[in-house]
Amino acid sequence: MSILENIKKDYQKVSDLVIKDIKSIHVIYLETLVSQDKINEYILKFTNVYRIPKDIKKLIPSPNIKNISSYDELKLFLETGFTIIINKEQIIAIETKGELTRSIETPSTEPTLYGAKDSLNENFQTNLGLIKRRIKSEHLKDETFNIGRFSKTMVNILYIDNIVEKDLVLKVRQKLNNIVIDGINDIGELKQFLHKDDENVFAAFRITERPDVISKSLLIGKIIILMDTSPYALIIPTFLADFINPISDDYTKSINVNFLKILRFFCFFLSLITPAIYISIMTFNQETIPTNLLLNFQNQRTGVPFPSIVECIITLITCEILRESDIRFPSKYGSAISILGGLVLGEAAVSAGIVSPIMIIVVALTFISSMIFTDLEIMNAIRMWRFLFLLAACFYGLYGVGLTFIFFLTNLASYETFGKPYLFPIAPLDKSYIKETLIKMRNKKRSKMLSKNTYKGEA
């Protein structure tokens, strides 16, 4: 059976398959994936000659022409927007992809006052171009993988070969090669195959839509994973300190940024333990605060029918429902509805005597502190640990909070992502990476853990 007959058989119920016979050649494409203008410009216009040459590539002016050596390769190119030309024994694929993606837009999940205003979109070529526009070097390498038996989704890893650690590239390459699945739609789905979800509630990867964040990560020795059809990229490896270090810090004076970094650390722990500290004080450890303040708290709870822990859980769950509805609602009116809901519910709950005013203040302070972090997985991890601290405070007071805090640190210290400790650069200590994340200072060297080439240059 000929190749043309195989194509007709395999794609017999595919409505967008087009096969054109022009003289001695066959032109084959899927019209929903291609640009008709490119087909006319690259192929049809130049096939109207007196004699088709033996090597048809000399006739086609397309900038991207591939030789096809197998039938599986032919199907892959056909299903990714290429036009197939069969000329006797010669088979070639010509890139004629249509524009099926959005234009370059401003970042929506990582906005910043200063810095670049471009972001990734669903087109891999566009995303790669945004990165190469910033890093102009032959050392920027990319490797392509097709993942999914049916989707054949193009996944690329990017790294700078004279900076990155070779073992890290090998680990990522092996993980991608071992993925066996019918199809994959988004990079958030891909990361579940690169790391076990049940190891820790904290995110093992950082997801970004900003090309400037990607470029900075490549230059310090990290690996980037891009995926066609996804407007986000994965940064490997990722540490807890990376989530407290937005790209906007690089565009502001050091003295101001370092104050904000300290504030973020304070908010991180505040969002974790504020409800637990309040429950501990009200239930077990009344002696830890002045008597007048304690009496004030007790007076505010007069008439509340629930214990402090039940009151706290009800308020926290209500706020989580409001936050979830804010995420799911369209952005134009989601925030307004959640704010209105919070105000109405809070005022009504206090007036009805269901919760005390001080509990509203404690929970509001907790949620405002957590809103400093924009990454959804970090917010979910903080939520999980907040309830663990709360339960420990319910049974053991401040003693339980202290024990849970030790367990929290032990859990993070034992957590690894691609063989790298999650608490890096604190444990183990690395001054170079501390200057990249936890504080802003002049830094002439890269981290030894991430790079084989540690010299960075003047900051």
Side-chain angles (χ1 to χ4, degrees):
M1 186 179 293
S2 68
I3 291 177
L4 189 61
E5 290 173 342
N6 278 329
I7 293 173
K8 290 179 179 179
K9 178 183 177 182
D10 292 341
Y11 293 88
Q12 60 181 333
K13 292 185 179 180
V14 178
S15 61
D16 60 338
L17 177 69
V18 176
I19 301 177
K20 292 185 177 182
D21 298 326
I22 304 174
K23 296 185 178 180
S24 61
I25 68 171
H26 305 285
V27 180
I28 307 166
Y29 57 87
L30 297 174
E31 62 179 345
T32 55
L33 298 178
V34 302
S35 166
Q36 294 290 344
D37 292 337
K38 290 181 180 179
I39 291 177
N40 292 332
E41 183 72 21
Y42 296 156
I43 303 170
L44 299 184
K45 183 187 294 186
F46 292 90
T47 53
N48 190 23
V49 296
Y50 178 72
R51 183 179 180 184
I52 302 294
K54 186 175 182 181
D55 187 2
I56 198 171
K57 286 196 295 183
K58 296 178 180 179
L59 188 67
I60 306 298
S62 172
N64 191 9
I65 301 176
K66 306 285 187 182
N67 285 316
I68 294 179
S69 57
S70 67
Y71 183 62
D72 289 335
E73 191 178 6
L74 183 150
K75 292 194 295 182
L76 179 61
F77 278 114
L78 181 63
E79 291 161 358
T80 52
F82 281 70
T83 295
I84 307 300
I85 291 183
I86 302 176
N87 180 28
K88 298 180 181 178
E89 300 300 325
Q90 184 186 24
I91 305 175
I92 61 172
I94 302 166
E95 185 173 2
T96 54
K97 295 179 182 178
E99 297 296 332
L100 303 177
T101 56
R102 297 176 293 126
S103 60
I104 298 173
E105 300 175 357
T106 57
S108 58
T109 59
E110 300 172 274
T112 180
L113 185 61
Y114 302 109
K117 299 299 181 183
D118 53 351
S119 64
L120 305 182
N121 64 16
E122 289 79 8
N123 189 302
F124 167 75
Q125 296 294 338
T126 302
N127 297 339
L128 186 59
L130 290 173
I131 298 168
K132 290 198 171 186
R133 186 180 178 187
R134 290 168 167 83
I135 301 179
K136 305 174 181 67
S137 173
E138 71 278 10
H139 293 288
L140 178 60
K141 308 297 183 183
D142 64 285
E143 301 179 18
T144 303
F145 303 82
N146 291 304
I147 296 178
R149 287 191 293 264
F150 296 102
S151 67
K152 299 182 179 68
T153 308
M154 184 171 66
V155 175
N156 278 64
I157 60 173
L158 279 76
Y159 55 90
I160 300 178
D161 64 349
N162 61 342
I163 294 179
V164 73
E165 188 183 57
K166 297 300 182 184
D167 289 342
L168 184 61
V169 177
L170 182 61
K171 288 179 182 178
V172 175
R173 190 185 293 134
Q174 289 175 340
K175 291 276 187 180
L176 291 173
N177 283 326
N178 290 335
I179 295 176
V180 179
I181 190 173
D182 286 344
I184 194 163
N185 297 312
D186 190 78
I187 206 157
E189 191 177 353
L190 175 67
K191 66 184 178 65
Q192 300 175 30
F193 296 94
L194 299 175
H195 197 271
K196 293 181 180 179
D197 279 346
D198 56 356
E199 287 191 3
N200 203 293
V201 294
F202 279 92
F205 306 102
R206 184 180 177 186
I207 297 181
T208 183
E209 62 175 341
R210 298 185 62 102
D212 50 351
V213 174
I214 293 172
S215 300
K216 181 182 177 182
S217 301
L218 288 168
L219 291 171
I220 61 177
K222 294 190 176 184
I223 294 175
I224 303 299
I225 295 183
L226 293 177
M227 187 174 116
D228 196 25
T229 73
S230 177
Y232 294 96
L234 287 182
I235 302 176
I236 299 174
T238 296
F239 313 109
L240 181 60
D242 294 326
F243 295 101
I244 311 175
N245 181 51
I247 190 66
S248 57
D249 289 356
D250 294 340
Y251 308 137
T252 315
K253 291 183 67 173
S254 299
I255 188 169
N256 298 328
V257 167
N258 288 330
F259 173 76
L260 292 176
K261 288 179 182 290
I262 295 171
L263 185 64
R264 288 188 203 115
F265 268 107
F266 180 71
C267 289
F268 177 75
F269 291 108
L270 202 64
S271 62
L272 277 175
I273 64 175
T274 300
I277 294 294
Y278 173 75
I279 294 300
S280 299
I281 291 172
M282 297 301 296
T283 308
F284 292 98
N285 306 98
Q286 293 91 345
E287 72 280 358
T288 57
I289 61 173
T291 305
N292 291 336
L293 183 60
L294 180 63
L295 291 174
N296 190 15
F297 287 174
Q298 290 291 354
N299 289 335
Q300 291 187 37
R301 293 201 73 257
T302 302
V304 176
F306 306 111
S308 297
I309 180 64
V310 176
E311 178 190 9
C312 187
I313 290 176
I314 290 173
T315 312
L316 284 173
I317 290 177
T318 303
C319 288
E320 293 292 351
I321 293 172
L322 286 171
R323 172 181 282 177
E324 191 67 17
S325 67
D326 192 12
I327 294 173
R328 306 302 170 197
F329 262 73
S331 58
K332 290 184 178 179
Y333 53 88
S335 297
I337 288 189
S338 64
I339 292 170
L340 180 63
L343 290 173
V344 172
L345 285 175
E347 180 67 26
V350 171
S351 300
I354 299 175
V355 296
S356 61
I358 186 63
M359 180 59 70
I360 297 294
I361 294 173
V362 168
V363 173
L365 180 62
T366 301
F367 273 81
I368 290 172
S369 300
S370 67
M371 288 172 66
I372 285 181
F373 307 99
T374 58
D375 189 277
L376 189 61
E377 292 209 41
I378 286 294
M379 293 167 65
N380 290 338
I382 290 174
R383 175 197 302 161
M384 182 70 69
W385 278 100
R386 183 188 299 133
F387 279 100
L388 289 177
F389 276 106
L390 193 61
L391 290 176
C394 174
F395 291 105
Y396 301 105
L398 291 177
Y399 179 71
V401 173
L403 288 178
T404 307
F405 187 72
I406 294 173
F407 175 65
F408 171 73
L409 293 179
T410 305
N411 178 265
L412 287 181
S414 61
Y415 186 34
E416 290 187 346
T417 169
F418 281 86
K420 309 294 184 183
Y422 198 62
L423 283 185
F424 179 81
I426 298 298
L429 186 66
D430 188 297
K431 294 181 180 179
S432 297
Y433 202 70
I434 285 178
K435 294 176 183 178
E436 292 281 353
T437 52
L438 303 183
I439 58 176
K440 185 179 179 182
M441 295 178 64
R442 291 185 179 274
N443 186 20
K444 297 181 180 181
K445 293 184 178 180
R446 299 184 186 91
S447 168
K448 293 180 180 178
M449 182 172 288
L450 294 174
S451 174
K452 63 180 182 181
N453 179 8
T454 58
Y455 179 71
K456 181 181 178 182
E458 291 287 347

